[in-house]
Amino acid sequence: MGRQPRWRRVGSIPQVTYFKPAGIPLASIQEVCLSVDEAEAIRLKDIEGLEQDDCAQRMSVSRSTFARILLSARQKMADALLNGKAIRIEGGNYEMAVRHFRCGNGHEWEVPFEKMIEQPPELCPTCHTSEIMSLWPWRPGLRSGGRRLRGRRNW
Ligand SMILES: [Zn+2]
């Protein structure tokens, strides 16, 4: 196929990344692996309740790709829930949605998008000047986390 992997934009990484059914010894538990982008799809659609178009836009993917990620995520969760499997959340093709800032003294840093919505930064974390500006938009090439593809998924 030779398709370039696309990075899906993720606004939040779950704090808890492992769920296991009660009463089953760990050794005999089967696991499903939910990627971080799949978890994000569930979060946007089912927790935030956004329309698919908005979800796709937030993750920077096409609508059909979003639908595919969501379907896969729901199937995995259903499989885990109904078949008593553990869920591990990790890996996948994603980049954090971050905003980049620069202060008057040339320091640059990034702030996760969701944190920025809650509380936009007011001071440079290095020199504490309040003379800061937002660099728009997300600068390509700066990605953090989750670049390894675990498992057999090949988009
Ligand atoms: Zn500074």
Side-chain angles (χ1 to χ4, degrees):
M1 297 285 262
R3 278 173 54 200
Q4 291 285 104
R6 285 285 309 270
W7 305 106
R8 293 86 187 256
R9 187 161 285 149
V10 160
S12 161
I13 293 185
Q15 302 285 304
V16 175
T17 56
Y18 197 78
F19 296 86
K20 107 187 225 319
I24 303 179
L26 202 57
S28 58
I29 278 185
Q30 282 184 288
E31 263 180 30
V32 298
C33 187
L34 198 67
S35 64
V36 171
D37 40 329
E38 286 171 333
E40 175 75 351
I42 291 278
R43 189 180 71 84
L44 293 175
K45 187 76 186 73
D46 295 334
I47 297 179
E48 291 202 15
L50 300 178
E51 297 296 328
Q52 286 221 4
D53 280 345
D54 295 330
C55 296
Q57 215 166 27
R58 290 270 285 264
M59 289 185 71
S60 188
V61 296
S62 70
R63 201 189 161 162
S64 62
T65 297
F66 180 80
R68 198 156 40 101
I69 298 170
L70 183 67
L71 181 66
S72 166
R74 285 178 173 168
Q75 281 173 342
K76 287 178 178 180
M77 296 212 312
D79 180 31
L81 206 62
L82 300 178
N83 296 321
K85 297 178 181 177
I87 302 175
R88 181 187 295 282
I89 303 176
E90 66 181 6
N93 290 330
Y94 68 92
E95 60 178 349
M96 287 301 292
V98 293
R99 286 292 291 277
H100 295 274
F101 289 86
R102 180 189 289 156
C103 81
N105 298 319
H107 302 119
E108 289 185 17
W109 70 102
E110 54 187 48
V111 179
F113 195 67
E114 296 218 324
K115 193 169 274 183
M116 207 199 61
I117 292 171
E118 278 171 29
Q119 191 182 22
E122 290 168 1
L123 300 174
C124 168
T126 306
C127 65
H128 306 291
T129 175
S130 60
E131 193 191 316
I132 67 175
M133 62 182 278
S134 164
L135 302 176
W136 175 265
W138 295 281
R139 212 164 45 177
L142 277 178
R143 301 191 181 98
S144 56
R147 303 178 67 177
R148 279 162 304 131
L149 251 182
R150 234 185 104 103
R152 64 288 88 138
R153 177 135 292 161
N154 185 16
W155 294 97

